[in-house]
Amino acid sequence: MTDLFLTRGFNYFDTSHGYVNGKSEPPLKECLTSRYPREKHILTDKLSTHHFQKQEEIRPLFESQLKACGVDYFDFYLMHAQDEAIYVKYERCHAYQTAYSFKAEGKIKHFGISFHDKACVLEKILKEHPEIEVVQIQFNYADYEEPSVESRKVYEVLRCFRRRFQCKLCYPVCGRQSADANPVVENSNLT
């Protein structure tokens, strides 16, 4: 599957230690990074909330992610699934600042967040962390006006900050719950 994906011109791979009970990264190494030159793919990994409780646990987790993926750096490293409650934990543990240090060390090319909450929470995070370079949102056209999801409002917040970073849109048509939908990741300049 990886071979076909790459031969068809795609190169973006997204994983997280939080996926498949911590078992998603080693297969990525086996299928991708041990077989293809590093410059042939773009790799995103994430800091998942369930795998650290204090700042001192973040660096060892990050280093284990690099090792599990078989790489020296991540193209994108995201604070995973940010919502109001999770953001409070990341702030308490200085997770953003710790990730900034990984970037300064050259272990992350671009720093960002994946986001799953209301537009006002996204705006707060973006204002408090101007260093954010990329935002990955779950954007579903079917939920564009759904009050509990706020796809349109979240997108509008991103448009206000568009000159500052890239945006990655996930699941734009049918959403993650649809069994027959393929996840789509689209780079957008939000123009």
Side-chain angles (χ1 to χ4, degrees), residues 33-79:
T33 64
S34 67
R35 298 177 56 230
Y36 290 94
R38 183 64 182 87
E39 65 276 3
K40 295 292 183 188
H41 56 272
I42 298 169
L43 182 56
T44 296
D45 209 328
K46 302 176 192 77
L47 178 62
S48 298
T49 188
H50 303 297
H51 299 284
F52 72 96
Q53 297 306 317
K54 54 189 175 180
Q55 182 178 15
E56 296 77 26
E57 296 172 339
I58 297 172
R59 182 172 290 274
L61 173 60
F62 177 79
E63 296 292 343
S64 75
Q65 290 177 284
L66 288 171
K67 183 177 178 182
C69 289
V71 296
D72 296 325
Y73 68 90
F74 294 116
D75 296 287
F76 297 96
Y77 195 69
L78 309 180
M79 303 293 98

Side-chain angles (χ1 to χ4, degrees), residues 123-134:
E123 186 171 10
K124 172 185 169 67
I125 294 171
L126 293 176
K127 283 181 178 177
E128 292 180 3
H129 292 280
E131 303 86 355
I132 291 172
E133 299 172 276
V134 63

